[in-house]
Amino acid sequence: MKKYTMAAGLICTLIATGAYAVKTIKLDDKVLKAQRFELVDHDGKSYGYLGLKEKSPELVLSDETGVTRVRVGLSSKGAPQVHLLDKDGTTAMIIALSDEGVPVQMF
């Protein structure tokens, strides 16, 4: 009975605090699964995320002003790409492999 009371209390707390993201997160014994993970500071300001963009994984890191500075992902054919962006969010450099596996650097 005590377990059920604790579970009910936890559910009520989650609902009351607005933590409804539980709908999209599944917990297994050792795996946390979600479609997107967001990196935020103690005030909730976003500094990046790990998620999917058009069914391809992507890691995006932003500076304190919210401008994207690093983008790591895969091309539509699965080739790795790293984009480095300047303070205005403009791509300054790309390091990647072509879809054929040839190294590519663009400045």
Side-chain angles (χ1 to χ4, degrees), residues 63-90:
D63 64 19
E64 61 188 20
T65 65
V67 175
T68 298
R69 300 300 301 268
V70 178
R71 186 180 303 270
V72 179
L74 301 176
S75 73
S76 60
K77 294 187 179 181
Q81 303 176 342
V82 177
H83 295 245
L84 303 176
L85 298 92
D86 65 17
K87 63 181 179 176
D88 299 317
T90 303

Side-chain angles (χ1 to χ4, degrees), residues 29-42:
D29 290 335
K30 298 179 183 180
V31 179
L32 176 64
K33 297 179 183 180
Q35 292 180 346
R36 179 177 165 128
F37 296 93
E38 193 164 350
L39 178 62
V40 297
D41 66 11
H42 63 280

